[in-house]
Amino acid sequence: MRVLRTLEVWKLGVVNYLDALKLQEKLVLDRKAHRRCDTLLSLQHPPTYTVGKRQTVHNLLIPRSDLEQIGAELHYSQRGGDITFHGPHQAILYPIISLREMGLGARNYVEKIELTMIELAALYGVKACPGKRCETGVWVEERKIGAIGVRISSGITSHGMAFNIDPNLAYFRHIVPCGIADKEVTSLRRETDLVLPAEEIIEDQLISCFARIFGYSNLVWKEDASILFDKNESE
């Protein structure tokens, strides 16, 4: 008998990076304590550079004092991976899920995240693939279209993936994206000849790819994010 696996999906719109970070921390604690089922956050960030737990801030190529001039922030996190950029017109997914209940290891988890973005690109006739050794993320030939940076704590995931729909690629010139020099960053807009639908449709397609690849048969869609944030702020 097939087990009905439920994924609660929260569509949050544009969320400040630090607010999203605090929310993930709260949801991870809830998931560890079995107070919440597997959860997926779908959102975008204002222009933000983030550094992972290795703190490779040397890959930021402009003085921190200049960040305000370009309308960007810099934040540190405990995810894996190198420096990256988050901004408008990216589809970002943060899964808060139990790998133990799914029987997945860290490598398998990352491979499924890669496949999620590869399948989305394929919907628009774009052939993407995982990176070569030491090249994380998802690539179209030598151009990176999707970034991955995850954290796993007691088998519970946080952080996740960012797929470039049509972000301002000029922001990537101020960093060594994911620590990989001499490689371009690209977007779905640049790589497809098709007319793109509204971003919300592409975001929903990414969610659907994720749910199918990870085997969720029951999606519970949520849009009133105030419930999540209110709980977060009250503790």
Side-chain angles (χ1 to χ4, degrees), residues 28-48:
V28 167
L29 291 176
D30 285 349
R31 189 66 186 89
K32 286 179 181 179
H34 304 285
R35 292 191 295 263
R36 176 173 293 280
C37 67
D38 284 352
T39 302
L40 184 67
L41 305 182
S42 174
L43 48 80
Q44 294 189 11
H45 290 308
T48 307

Side-chain angles (χ1 to χ4, degrees), residues 160-179:
M161 73 190 87
F163 183 87
N164 295 334
I165 300 174
D166 189 23
N168 182 352
L169 298 179
Y171 280 104
F172 288 96
R173 298 174 191 158
H174 302 301
I175 60 174
V176 181
C178 300

Side-chain angles (χ1 to χ4, degrees), residues 43-204:
L43 48 80
Q44 294 189 11
H45 290 308
T48 307
Y49 295 107
T50 69
V51 176
K53 60 186 178 182
R54 288 186 289 157
Q55 297 194 4
T56 51
V57 74
H58 59 273
N59 283 325
L60 178 68
L61 302 179
I62 63 172
R64 297 187 209 186
S65 57
D66 290 350
L67 289 174
E68 186 175 350
Q69 296 177 21
I70 63 171
E73 298 180 350
L74 172 68
H75 294 296
Y76 293 81
S77 74
Q78 290 301 306
R79 63 164 174 79
D82 210 297
I83 193 168
T84 194
F85 171 77
H86 291 314
H89 313 299
Q90 274 184 337
I92 297 173
L93 294 184
Y94 291 149
I96 315 296
I97 65 177
S98 173
L99 295 185
R100 290 177 180 173
E101 290 185 9
M102 219 175 299
L104 282 181
R107 183 63 247 173
N108 294 134
Y109 174 59
V110 171
E111 288 172 351
K112 284 180 177 290
I113 288 182
E114 292 170 342
L115 187 57
T116 297
M117 292 191 282
I118 289 169
E119 286 204 358
L120 176 65
L123 294 178
Y124 295 91
V126 177
K127 186 177 181 181
C129 62
K132 300 173 185 176
R133 183 176 176 84
C134 299
E135 293 182 353
T136 59
V138 169
W139 299 72
V140 181
E141 296 178 353
E142 297 294 305
R143 303 176 297 279
K144 190 168 190 175
I145 196 169
I148 298 172
V150 304
R151 175 172 168 77
I152 302 172
S153 175
S154 301
I156 307 298
T157 68
S158 57
H159 300 275
M161 73 190 87
F163 183 87
N164 295 334
I165 300 174
D166 189 23
N168 182 352
L169 298 179
Y171 280 104
F172 288 96
R173 298 174 191 158
H174 302 301
I175 60 174
V176 181
C178 300
I180 303 170
D182 303 322
K183 295 289 180 72
E184 288 185 62
V185 176
T186 191
S187 66
L188 186 61
R189 172 78 68 187
R190 284 196 172 188
E191 297 296 336
T192 186
D193 294 326
L194 301 178
V195 176
L196 296 182
E199 285 188 0
E200 184 175 1
I201 292 175
I202 299 175
E203 291 167 348
D204 287 352

